[in-house]
Amino acid sequence: EVQLVESGGGLAQPGGSLRLSCAASGFTFSSYSMHWVRQAPGKGLEWVSYISDSGSTIYYADSVKGRFTISRDTDKNSLYLQMNSLRAEDTAVYYCARKYSGYDYFGYWGQGTLVTVSS
Amino acid sequence: EIEMTQSPATLSVSPGERVTLSCRASQSVSTHLAWYQQKPGQAPRLIIYGASSRATGIPSRFSGSGSGIEFTLTISSLQSEDFAVYYCQQYNNWPPITFGQGTPLEIK
């Protein structure tokens, strides 16, 4: 069974940093690209970032480019999101997600981790 | 960036009714369109991919159609567990992957 478990969320001050983790199990992590998707309170879904299975291809939403860094550790079956220069508008539940098959739609989601940016 | 627009903004319906939700893309996404269901406090759940293919375990009352820029999600007979927010997502031309704003399905 595919499982994705996020951690690392919490309260951060504007301008601060947080590092999110996503522990993957139930599949061959090194064979799948991964994404981060976020959802601000009471709002819709926003794609944040992508990393290919090898880690060689990375994309970011314009809203986080230059501030967030996605990475992965195959040995630890884990996905990460380093979030720097946090802003109030980064407040959201952050989900890691895996494609279902073939193309990049999301068949598997974690439970999400809440990031709150406030002074 | 491809903009996805869902309609209606909200929908109030009674159990047992047939419901059609719409999603329009700002440019063609072929059939690279997915639908998700999200209930309060839960992660989204994949319902439809490839515009019309049901994901594993999704009941047959859910169906998707469309191609190009116009898509629909139909629920043939609403059950109580179907009341949720529904999102469409395009994956034809990215980054960025983009979602519609969501359509909440509420009990009348």
Side-chain angles (χ1 to χ4, degrees):
Chain A
E1 177 192 5
V2 172
Q3 285 201 326
L4 301 170
V5 179
E6 301 94 338
S7 60
L11 178 64
Q13 292 197 335
S17 299
L18 279 177
R19 188 194 195 208
L20 306 184
S21 300
C22 171
S25 61
F27 65 101
T28 304
F29 182 67
S30 59
S31 297
Y32 287 87
S33 58
M34 297 293 294
H35 298 256
W36 287 99
V37 177
R38 69 183 180 183
Q39 186 170 36
K43 303 296 184 182
L45 300 168
E46 180 188 16
W47 173 79
V48 173
S49 186
Y50 160 90
I51 186 167
S52 63
D53 52 1
S54 66
S56 61
T57 301
I58 285 173
Y59 301 125
Y60 298 100
D62 286 346
S63 58
V64 306
K65 201 173 294 182
R67 301 187 299 120
F68 290 10
T69 302
I70 191 172
S71 63
R72 63 191 298 158
D73 185 331
T74 299
D75 291 338
K76 294 182 178 179
N77 283 350
S78 291
L79 174 72
Y80 304 102
L81 188 67
Q82 178 67 44
M83 310 164 64
N84 298 332
S85 303
L86 284 164
R87 306 167 179 168
E89 55 264 36
D90 295 319
T91 294
V93 174
Y94 285 74
Y95 297 101
C96 62
R98 200 207 87 177
K99 68 170 73 175
Y100 182 65
S101 66
Y103 295 93
D104 287 86
Y105 50 88
F106 309 119
Y108 302 96
W109 299 71
Q111 84 288 353
T113 187
L114 176 62
V115 171
T116 303
V117 183
S118 174
S119 55
Chain B
E1 173 174 333
I2 297 178
E3 184 175 347
M4 307 301 293
T5 304
Q6 292 185 238
S7 61
T10 62
L11 191 56
S12 294
V13 294
S14 300
E17 286 188 18
R18 179 186 178 91
V19 168
T20 298
L21 308 180
S22 296
C23 176
R24 170 176 283 198
S26 60
Q27 64 188 78
S28 177
V29 298
S30 183
T31 57
H32 296 148
L33 190 285
W35 290 94
Y36 300 88
Q37 175 193 70
Q38 188 179 32
K39 298 179 180 179
Q42 296 184 16
R45 176 192 183 194
L46 178 67
I47 301 292
I48 298 287
Y49 63 95
S52 61
S53 298
R54 275 190 303 276
T56 302
I58 301 303
S60 58
R61 63 180 180 273
F62 290 89
S63 63
S65 65
S67 66
I69 65 170
E70 295 279 1
F71 300 87
T72 60
L73 173 68
T74 298
I75 310 172
S76 60
S77 177
L78 269 171
Q79 305 297 302
S80 58
E81 61 266 30
D82 300 335
F83 291 95
V85 181
Y86 290 84
Y87 295 93
C88 61
Q89 175 227 330
Q90 70 83 20
Y91 51 94
N92 185 66
N93 188 352
W94 66 280
I97 285 173
T98 48
F99 294 88
Q101 79 278 18
T103 293
L105 206 51
E106 299 171 347
I107 300 175
K108 184 183 287 184

